């Protein structure tokens, strides 16, 4: 190694340290933004150092420069545009898209490396094995993330898509990865093995994500994030760049931890979600004891407003219905009006509320909700018995007390103890079921009032009604 | 590339996983979306790999692959950091909670 190449590797080492520091600073809302800036600055320095290395090594052709600069500028412009324009409700799609391009780039690096080598056979398993893994993981992530983004955006049906033979295919395709990987390792210059592996991996990404329902997306996105990280780390092995290995595995562990947390919050195993189940219709809706439809108590905006205005403690429970109606601003306004009048306001956020881990918190932050009012499940559950009103907005399964009883689709799932509040109001458009497809006992509880309306409309009605009482 | 390099690379791989688990398990659920978006931008380091293959490419197929990898990688890096910053900028403790004071 010469001096320049050595210097560049020291820069990469510093960059990796800054990534760790940047992620570490993400542990508090106050420091998180600085952490992101440190990470971004380090990335910029690493890219500049790579340009220096490329100039110094001088193997690049004029066309190579053109490719590097134009590709970089076009990609940067697309990324900047997408990042500036995206709505906070569409964040999961964007994260999924970035997973796709990250995984795709990693796979392309391995393909290119295997194609460029003059005598790939001479590379040995040191390059061909991580190369094959990079291609498999990268290509699965690419097509899988695109399907996930399509589902979230509504381009691809959000319902689980099941076609005949899908399960069989999901067994056959991974088997062919193993065969393809072994083939490619044994004969790294076989183009058939290379292209075959790319094709089956792309196909598997599609068949893996298509049968997964919309409710499971927080888990899927976290899982694909972990995959992208591993693909990037494998690209690091291929290119012998430790910076890629470190950064890739940091991301992979982050994705892995979040996948586990999300799966736990739904009381399901990761395998169970990937193979399909909840929301796919194959878990039969639990039969509710007794044939007679249970009685619910409908309430009006004025009823609810009186309760809220004279409460001393109110807990809001936002769910997917709030996000779908994009009513986070109306909720924020209502909460501010109440807290300005001395009501103790907090938000109970279930880990899987929204469409990716922590998504609900982002939506509420967008509506200017102070993060000090956002409470996680374990912290807020003991507070429900002191709450005068728990206002549930479009959250269903995560508030269903039936989860505490055995023998139904959501048994054992950690829930918010909304039913322990002194009174409960549920804003919901109809008595429709949640993803789990079972009745919610909370709605028939005598202390629960049902306010049947659209979340956005209902919350602005509440705000003006409350305004009458406190104004 | 010799055996020592491979051993070093595997050591780095294993240690990175452990550091990642240690650092990330301390992040509160409130920040999980920015964390995922932030770690998304970290895997944008793949752009460095794309730059290195662009520097080694000599065939038209190589150029096309390197170009697509560059576009993907650059999009990942720039978009990831900008959107994470946009999100984090919204997480503020607001002065409205002055009632205890």
């Amino acid at each position: 190694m010469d001096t320049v190449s050595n210097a560049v590797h020291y820069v990469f080492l510093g960059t990796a340290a800054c990534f760790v520091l940047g992620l570490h600073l993400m542990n508090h809302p106050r420091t998180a933004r600085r952490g992101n800036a440190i990470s971004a600055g380090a990335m910029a320095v690493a890219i500049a150092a790579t340009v220096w290395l490329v100039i110094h090594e001088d193997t690049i052709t004029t066309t190579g420069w053109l490719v590097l600069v134009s590709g970089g500028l076009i990609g940067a412009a697309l990324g900047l545009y997408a990042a500036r324009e995206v709505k906070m409700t569409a964040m999961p799609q964007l994260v999924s898209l970035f997973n796709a391009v990250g995984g795709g780039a990693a796979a392309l690096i391995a393909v290119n490396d295997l194609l460029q080598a003059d005598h790939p056979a001479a590379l040995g398993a040191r390059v061909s094995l991580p190369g094959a893994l990079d291609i498999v993981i990268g290509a699965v992530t690419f097509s899988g993330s695109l399907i996930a983004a399509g589902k979230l955006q509504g381009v691809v049906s959000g319902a689980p898509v099941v076609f005949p033979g899908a399960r069989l295919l999901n067994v056959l395709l991974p088997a062919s990865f193993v065969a393809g990987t072994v083939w490619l390792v044994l004969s790294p210059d076989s183009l058939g093995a290379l292209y075959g592996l790319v094709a089956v991996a792309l196909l598997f990404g599609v068949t893996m994500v298509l049968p997964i329902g919309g409710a499971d997306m927080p888990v899927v996105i976290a899982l694909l994030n972990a995959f992208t990280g591993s693909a990037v780390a494998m690209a690091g092995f291929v290119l012998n760049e430790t910076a890629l290995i470190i950064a890739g595995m940091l991301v992979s562990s982050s994705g892995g931890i979040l996948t586990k947390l999300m799966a736990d919050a739904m009381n399901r195993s990761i395998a169970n979600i990937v193979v399909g189940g909840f929301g796919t219709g194959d878990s039969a809706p639990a039969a509710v004891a007794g044939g007679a439809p249970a009685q619910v108590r409908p309430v009006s905006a004025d009823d609810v407003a009186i309760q809220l205005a004279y409460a001393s403690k109110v807990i809001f429970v936002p769910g997917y219905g709030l996000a779908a109606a994009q009513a986070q601003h109306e909720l924020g306004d209502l909460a501010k009006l109440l807290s300005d009048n001395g009501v103790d306001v907090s938000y109970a956020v279930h880990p899987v509320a929204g469409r990716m881990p922590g998504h609900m918190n982002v939506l509420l932050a967008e509506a200017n909700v102070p993060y000090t009012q956002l409470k996680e499940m374990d912290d807020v559950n003991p507070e429900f018995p002191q709450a005068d009103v728990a206002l549930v907005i479009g959250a269903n399964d995560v508030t269903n007390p039936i989860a505490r009883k055995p023998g139904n689709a959501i048994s054992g799932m950690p829930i918010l103890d909304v039913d322990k509040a002194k009174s409960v109001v549920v804003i919901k458009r109809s008595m429709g079921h949640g993803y789990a497809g079972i009745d919610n006992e909370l709605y028939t509880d005598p202390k629960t009032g049902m306010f049947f309306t659209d979340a956005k409309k209902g919350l602005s009605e509440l705000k003006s009604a409350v305004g009458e009482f406190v104004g | 590339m010799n055996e020592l390099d491979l051993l070093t690379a595997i050591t780095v791989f294993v240690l990175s996983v452990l550091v990642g688990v240690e650092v990330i398990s301390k992040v509160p659920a409130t920040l999980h979306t920015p964390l995922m978006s932030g770690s998304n931008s970290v895997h944008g380091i793949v752009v460095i790999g794309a730059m290195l293959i662009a520097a080694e490419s000599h065939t038209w197929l190589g150029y096309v692959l390197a170009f697509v990898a560059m576009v993907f990688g650059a999009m990942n890096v720039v978009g990831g950091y900008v959107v994470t910053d946009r999100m984090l900028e919204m997480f503020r403790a607001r002065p409205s909670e002055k009632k205890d004071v």
Side-chain angles (χ1 to χ4, degrees):
Chain A
M1 274 206 205
D2 57 59
T3 327
V4 172
S5 151
N6 257 331
V8 168
H9 282 90
Y10 282 116
V11 172
F12 285 168
L13 180 64
T15 302
C18 288
F19 287 159
V20 174
L21 181 62
L23 289 173
H24 170 72
L25 290 175
M26 286 265 185
N27 68 11
H28 196 283
R30 214 173 34 232
T31 54
R33 202 175 175 201
R34 193 176 354 129
N36 189 53
I38 289 173
S39 175
M43 183 73 83
V45 172
I47 290 172
T50 311
V51 171
W52 183 29
L53 185 68
V54 167
I55 294 172
H56 175 75
E57 294 201 333
D58 203 29
T59 54
I60 190 166
T61 59
T62 315
T63 320
W65 272 120
L66 198 67
V67 160
L68 195 155
V69 174
S70 65
L73 289 178
I74 292 170
L78 287 173
L80 192 62
Y81 176 79
R84 285 260 175 87
E85 297 303 312
V86 68
K87 282 204 177 112
M88 287 302 148
T89 40
M91 188 58 62
Q93 289 92 307
L94 189 70
V95 167
S96 217
L97 185 66
F98 289 153
N99 270 335
V101 293
L108 287 172
I109 287 170
V111 171
N112 198 316
D113 206 64
L114 290 173
L115 284 177
Q116 292 296 324
D118 297 328
H119 302 287
L123 291 175
R126 166 70 180 78
V127 170
S128 59
L129 180 59
L133 291 176
D134 185 0
I135 291 170
V136 169
I137 306 170
V140 167
T141 314
F142 179 72
S143 59
S145 298
L146 285 182
I147 297 291
K151 274 181 178 270
L152 291 163
Q153 185 70 35
V155 181
V156 180
S157 163
V161 178
V162 185
F163 46 90
R167 296 266 159 101
L168 181 66
L169 210 54
N170 280 352
V171 174
L172 285 181
L173 289 177
S176 55
F177 294 158
V178 179
T181 305
V182 172
W183 185 11
L184 195 62
V185 171
L186 293 179
S187 58
D189 40 8
S190 158
L191 288 181
L194 182 63
Y195 293 130
L197 205 53
V198 173
V200 283
L202 286 174
L203 188 61
F204 180 69
V206 175
T207 61
M208 184 180 90
V209 179
L210 266 185
I212 303 177
D216 288 330
M217 281 302 144
V219 185
V220 175
I221 294 179
L223 186 66
L224 289 168
N225 194 37
F227 279 9
T228 315
S230 324
V232 171
M234 289 304 144
F237 276 100
V238 171
L239 297 171
N240 207 25
E241 280 302 340
T242 43
L244 268 69
I245 300 178
I246 298 174
M249 288 327 288
L250 282 175
V251 179
S252 197
S253 19
S254 127
I257 291 174
L258 291 180
T259 310
K260 179 82 174 63
L261 286 176
M262 293 300 107
D264 287 351
M266 299 171 102
N267 190 35
R268 300 174 62 205
S269 71
I270 297 164
N272 179 251
I273 289 164
V274 173
V275 174
F278 204 11
T280 60
D282 46 6
S283 53
V288 177
Q295 290 294 307
V296 298
R297 183 167 59 90
V299 291
S300 72
D302 284 334
D303 300 335
V304 183
I306 293 173
Q307 284 193 50
L308 292 175
Y310 297 112
S312 58
K313 182 175 177 64
V314 173
I315 300 179
F316 292 107
V317 184
Y320 177 66
L322 177 91
Q326 303 206 20
Q328 65 271 28
H329 293 282
E330 282 74 10
L331 177 60
D333 292 347
L334 173 64
K336 184 163 189 310
L337 183 61
L338 291 172
S339 67
D340 286 351
N341 281 281
V343 181
D344 176 8
V345 169
S346 52
Y347 297 80
V349 185
H350 192 274
V352 292
R355 307 172 102 184
M356 67 182 284
H359 189 206
M360 188 57 69
N361 296 295
V362 172
L363 296 179
L364 294 173
E366 190 199 10
N368 291 331
V369 169
Y371 65 75
T372 43
Q373 289 179 359
L374 300 174
K375 298 200 173 149
E376 292 174 28
M377 184 166 63
D378 294 337
D379 299 329
V380 80
N381 270 346
E383 292 186 20
F384 276 107
Q386 286 95 51
D388 298 298
V389 187
L391 184 64
V392 180
I393 309 116
N396 194 336
D397 296 329
V398 298
T399 61
N400 196 344
I402 203 174
R404 296 193 200 108
K405 297 175 187 166
N408 61 72
I410 59 169
S411 289
M413 179 170 123
I415 55 163
L416 293 163
D417 296 333
V418 175
D419 58 328
K420 298 196 173 141
K422 289 174 197 152
S423 86
V424 180
V425 176
V426 178
I427 298 186
K428 207 169 180 309
R429 277 188 301 195
S430 68
M431 282 299 284
H433 288 139
Y435 289 110
I438 51 180
D439 287 330
N440 192 335
E441 283 186 353
L442 181 68
Y443 302 162
T444 49
D445 190 310
K447 68 182 173 194
T448 302
M450 300 296 292
F451 182 21
F452 289 111
T453 178
D454 171 71
K456 197 166 189 157
K457 189 164 153 283
L459 288 167
S460 30
E461 280 174 21
L462 283 181
K463 190 189 154 216
S464 45
V466 169
E468 304 260 317
F469 291 109
V470 298
Chain B
M1 240 160 283
N2 52 45
E3 285 303 310
L4 188 65
D5 277 348
L6 180 60
L7 191 62
T8 313
I10 293 174
T11 308
V12 168
F13 178 88
V14 173
L15 290 179
S16 309
V17 175
L18 296 177
V19 170
V21 170
E22 191 54 28
V23 168
I24 284 145
S25 46
K26 301 203 167 56
V27 176
T30 307
L31 287 174
H32 279 168
T33 290
L35 168 69
M36 188 169 288
S37 170
S39 68
N40 237 329
S41 15
V42 168
H43 70 54
I45 192 144
V46 72
V47 75
I48 285 175
M51 291 168 78
L52 296 176
I53 62 165
E56 299 294 330
S57 296
H58 299 290
T59 60
W60 71 266
L61 181 59
Y63 289 131
V64 171
L65 293 176
F67 177 76
V68 179
M70 271 311 293
V71 173
F72 281 0
M75 186 173 163
N76 194 172
V77 168
V78 175
Y81 281 113
V82 172
V83 83
T84 308
D85 187 63
R86 228 187 103 192
M87 255 190 280
L88 290 173
E89 195 254 338
M90 302 183 313
F91 280 89
R92 280 185 299 244
R94 288 182 172 71
S96 72
E97 316 142 58
K98 47 186 176 262
K99 62 181 183 328
D100 309 299
V101 183

